[in-house]
Amino acid sequence: MLGIVRRKAAFGGVSASKIWIRSFSGAAKELTVRDALNSALDEEMSADPNVFLMGEEVGEYQGAYKVSKGLLDKYGPKRVLDTPITEAGFTGIGVGAAYYGLRPVIEFMTFNFSMQAIDHIINSAAKACYMSAGQISVPIVFRGPNGAAAGVGAQHSQCYAAWYGSCPGLKVLVPYSSEDARGLLKAAIRDPDPVVFLENELLYGESFPVSAEVLDSNFCLPIGKAKIEKEGKDVTITAFSKMVGYALKAAEILSKEGISAEVINLRSIRPLDTSTINASVRKTNRLVTVEECFPQHGVGAEICASVVEESFGYLDAPVERIAGADVPMPYAATLERIAVPQIEDIVNAAKRACYRSVPLAATA
């Protein structure tokens, strides 16, 4: 907890109703992930009075990571609600509000704290529509930073994509870029079902190029559709959240060695865009999955199952899975680095899939 508190002071932000964009002569405009999320929240709250934000430090402190900066001043304390440190309490209130037609956005300071509220997320929100025969919809968003950060230990470093992705009734989104963050958060807030929105703390300050279309207030991305970030013909690499950036860097390295990698940004864990994944594998005939989650029962395992079921005859090599180490996250920086996937791990896996290196068993 102290590690999180110490980092808060380092995060800046922008006021609501303003999107600070860096523009360079002859280059695309750029927007940080933090500002993309802030602008999406601002626009959806402006468009729909039923949308409100609730969580720890979202108001007076303007968000632990300044994602909600300026929203309290603009919309007031009835729509931007600071809560005590009681995730079970304010999550339950949010679900109840959604039952009655409001559209709450529940912020967790870290998704590790969502475990205090998991009964409301799973039993109260995710199952309500089915158990009521469609009579109760629960339009609620659970959002906040997910996955490994830096130096915060095992209890603040878990990836919950596979946890929540296994639960029917939830939609699970995992943005990577500013375009993802803005378009997917708008889609999540407008959706009639509960959405788990997994951000990444280390991406908040990252800037990405955005088009005029992305900055339009009507911009929205479809839920359940992956994006091909880079086309290739030799190997498919699937990734989500921060790992998309790692996969793209690995693809650059591989291209210098004559390997053309196709990089797929999943964007959505549930529903999972298996059509795009399988179409890519049928073209490249090889697959590498990348994630920060634990390897057992992970997102990569689900992707592997889909490819084996639908595209097994197209595979020219065993599927390679890159995931976090099967241990609680170490606190020591040297061990922490070993416990999460690195760019070189992706490069080596792609080489193995393309038979360009010594097999993994031979190097063990």
Side-chain angles (χ1 to χ4, degrees):
M1 186 67 183
L2 287 177
I4 292 176
V5 173
R6 291 192 191 104
R7 286 199 312 278
K8 289 178 188 174
F11 288 90
V14 299
S15 61
S17 78
K18 280 188 178 181
I19 306 175
W20 291 105
I21 303 166
R22 292 194 299 166
S23 182
F24 305 95
S25 177
K29 295 177 180 178
E30 292 199 348
L31 181 68
T32 66
V33 171
R34 177 186 294 108
D35 295 345
L37 294 167
N38 178 272
S39 65
L41 283 167
D42 181 21
E43 291 172 7
E44 293 306 302
M45 291 179 74
S46 178
D48 186 349
N50 288 324
V51 178
F52 70 94
L53 176 65
M54 181 164 54
E56 296 157 3
E57 300 185 344
V58 299
E60 294 291 343
Y61 193 77
Q62 306 197 74
Y65 300 95
K66 300 299 180 269
V67 170
S68 56
K69 187 174 178 68
L71 298 180
L72 176 63
D73 291 339
K74 185 171 183 178
Y75 297 103
K78 289 187 177 181
R79 295 186 64 194
V80 181
L81 289 81
D82 279 321
T83 69
I85 302 175
T86 172
E87 284 79 11
F90 65 75
T91 302
I93 291 171
V95 173
Y99 281 2
Y100 279 88
L102 298 180
R103 291 183 175 271
V105 178
I106 304 300
E107 177 178 312
F108 297 117
M109 192 180 294
T110 163
F111 249 92
N112 297 275
F113 299 159
S114 74
M115 293 180 70
Q116 301 291 329
I118 200 166
D119 179 54
H120 289 304
I121 297 171
I122 302 298
N123 284 327
S124 301
K127 299 176 182 178
C129 184
Y130 182 85
M131 293 180 70
S132 67
Q135 296 180 77
I136 300 175
S137 62
V138 190
I140 187 170
V141 178
F142 306 102
R143 53 156 294 270
N146 169 71
V152 292
Q155 293 172 324
H156 296 107
S157 300
Q158 295 175 112
C159 175
Y160 286 88
W163 286 59
Y164 290 115
S166 68
C167 182
L170 291 177
K171 295 175 182 175
V172 182
L173 304 181
V174 282
Y176 160 61
S177 65
S178 299
E179 176 182 323
D180 292 354
R182 184 168 157 79
L184 291 175
L185 184 54
K186 281 175 162 284
I189 293 172
R190 297 175 189 180
D191 199 87
D193 298 313
V195 179
V196 171
F197 196 86
L198 302 174
E199 301 155 14
N200 187 282
E201 175 187 333
L202 300 180
L203 288 177
Y204 284 137
E206 291 289 320
S207 294
F208 293 87
V210 292
S211 65
E213 178 188 6
V214 173
L215 297 176
D216 190 280
S217 61
N218 293 318
F219 177 71
C220 191
L221 287 173
I223 291 176
K225 182 64 179 173
K227 178 186 179 184
I228 297 177
E229 296 281 353
K230 178 186 176 298
E231 293 191 353
K233 60 183 178 63
D234 295 327
V235 60
T236 296
I237 303 176
T238 65
F240 60 90
S241 191
K242 186 178 69 173
M243 290 294 108
V244 176
Y246 281 29
L248 289 170
K249 290 176 182 177
E252 289 181 15
I253 296 171
L254 291 166
S255 68
K256 296 175 183 177
E257 301 190 30
I259 297 175
S260 174
E262 181 149 294
V263 178
I264 298 178
N265 172 5
L266 295 178
R267 283 183 168 172
S268 176
I269 299 300
R270 188 181 186 101
L272 185 65
D273 187 1
T274 56
S275 296
T276 294
I277 296 169
N278 278 279
S280 178
V281 170
R282 292 180 184 190
K283 176 177 68 172
T284 67
N285 310 116
R286 295 170 177 86
L287 173 64
V288 176
T289 69
V290 186
E291 63 185 310
E292 284 187 297
C293 300
F294 299 129
Q296 189 161 328
H297 311 303
V299 174
E302 179 64 24
I303 292 172
C304 290
S306 172
V307 169
V308 167
E309 290 168 358
E310 300 181 34
S311 305
F312 180 75
Y314 291 85
L315 288 172
D316 287 343
V319 174
E320 294 278 349
R321 281 199 298 154
I322 303 298
D326 198 21
V327 297
M329 181 64 69
Y331 180 75
T334 51
L335 294 177
E336 183 181 63
R337 187 183 188 280
I338 298 171
V340 295
Q342 301 297 325
I343 295 168
E344 57 264 31
D345 298 324
I346 304 171
V347 170
N348 292 336
K351 285 182 178 180
R352 288 195 297 270
C354 295
Y355 301 109
R356 297 288 188 92
S357 66
V358 179
L360 183 62
T363 62

